[in-house]
Amino acid sequence: MFFTIPTLMTWTRIVAIPLIVGVFYAPLAPETRNLVAALMFIVFAATDWLDGFLARKLNQTSSFGAFLDPVADKFLVCASLLVLVHLQRADVFVALIIIGREIAISALREWMAQIGASKSVAVHMIGKVKTTVQMVAIPFLLFDGRLLGVLDTRLWGQVLIWGAAVLTVWSMVYYLQKAIPEIRRRVKH
């Protein structure tokens, strides 16, 4: 199941990382770089929905795909945040919150799976909302201009990325609250 259509689409999100970073080193006008990077992020981020849809539709779900999908998402988001911090379009504090949460919750989920309690930290709506807000904020910040001559993407990207940081903390607290009863049960034994 390493090379099914859905899994290959997931791999594209990982392959996208050096491409998006590389755009900012290409001999292009800054506005062109911003547009290309934003469009690339949107296209590659869309594969997150599409690969899951195709996996179910083509009956090609696999444990490897279930593992790789969130890893690819986290790589794409974290790499993009680092680019944005480097370009001074995102605050380092926001990046630390989002990246730190991803590491902490991934570790928590791994541990909960090992003790047979993964359902207590299954993906919840707050996590999905956080991801959606991030996935809108990042291309806005990559674009860094006026969309259709009207929408200031830097301003809205900043608002949304800070909103994503708040949702990130909220979702981490939610998942930790769900995990604490299991953790307490394990510590007592």
Side-chain angles (χ1 to χ4, degrees):
M1 293 305 233
F2 288 103
F3 298 108
T4 62
I5 292 171
T7 305
L8 288 172
M9 293 182 79
T10 302
W11 279 111
T12 64
R13 289 199 299 286
I14 295 171
V15 171
I17 294 165
L19 298 176
I20 291 172
V21 172
V23 164
F24 290 101
Y25 294 95
L28 301 168
E31 298 81 19
T32 304
R33 280 189 222 138
N34 292 347
L35 176 62
V36 170
L39 290 174
M40 286 174 67
F41 183 89
I42 291 165
V43 168
F44 288 119
T47 66
D48 182 29
W49 173 81
L50 192 56
D51 65 9
F53 172 78
L54 288 174
R56 289 183 295 278
K57 186 87 168 158
L58 301 172
N59 197 27
Q60 293 182 341
T61 58
S62 68
S63 55
F64 179 73
F67 155 76
L68 189 62
D69 186 64
V71 170
D73 296 343
K74 287 167 185 30
F75 277 163
L76 181 62
V77 167
C78 291
S80 298
L81 283 171
L82 292 174
V83 166
L84 291 169
V85 167
H86 177 73
L87 295 171
Q88 299 180 340
R89 297 179 192 173
D91 192 289
V92 70
F93 190 63
V94 168
L96 286 171
I97 290 170
I98 293 172
I99 294 170
R101 180 262 188 208
E102 296 302 343
I103 293 168
I105 296 303
S106 293
L108 178 66
R109 283 192 173 125
E110 173 74 20
W111 186 66
M112 296 302 279
Q114 286 179 0
I115 64 171
S118 58
K119 288 186 180 178
S120 63
V121 287
V123 176
H124 184 266
M125 186 54 101
I126 186 72
K128 292 180 180 187
V129 171
K130 181 259 320 168
T131 299
T132 301
V133 173
Q134 278 177 181
M135 295 305 203
V136 174
I138 291 171
F140 272 15
L141 291 169
L142 288 170
F143 184 74
D144 193 44
R146 290 211 169 267
L147 188 59
L148 305 173
V150 179
L151 183 71
D152 182 349
T153 64
R154 180 176 277 214
L155 171 68
W156 283 103
Q158 289 289 327
V159 168
L160 290 169
I161 203 70
W162 277 101
V166 169
L167 290 168
T168 294
V169 172
W170 185 4
S171 69
M172 186 169 76
V173 168
Y174 173 83
Y175 291 125
L176 288 171
Q177 285 177 334
K178 291 295 185 181
I180 285 172
E182 283 297 329
I183 293 169
R184 285 190 177 138
R185 264 194 291 278
R186 302 296 174 179
V187 171
K188 289 181 182 178
H189 292 100

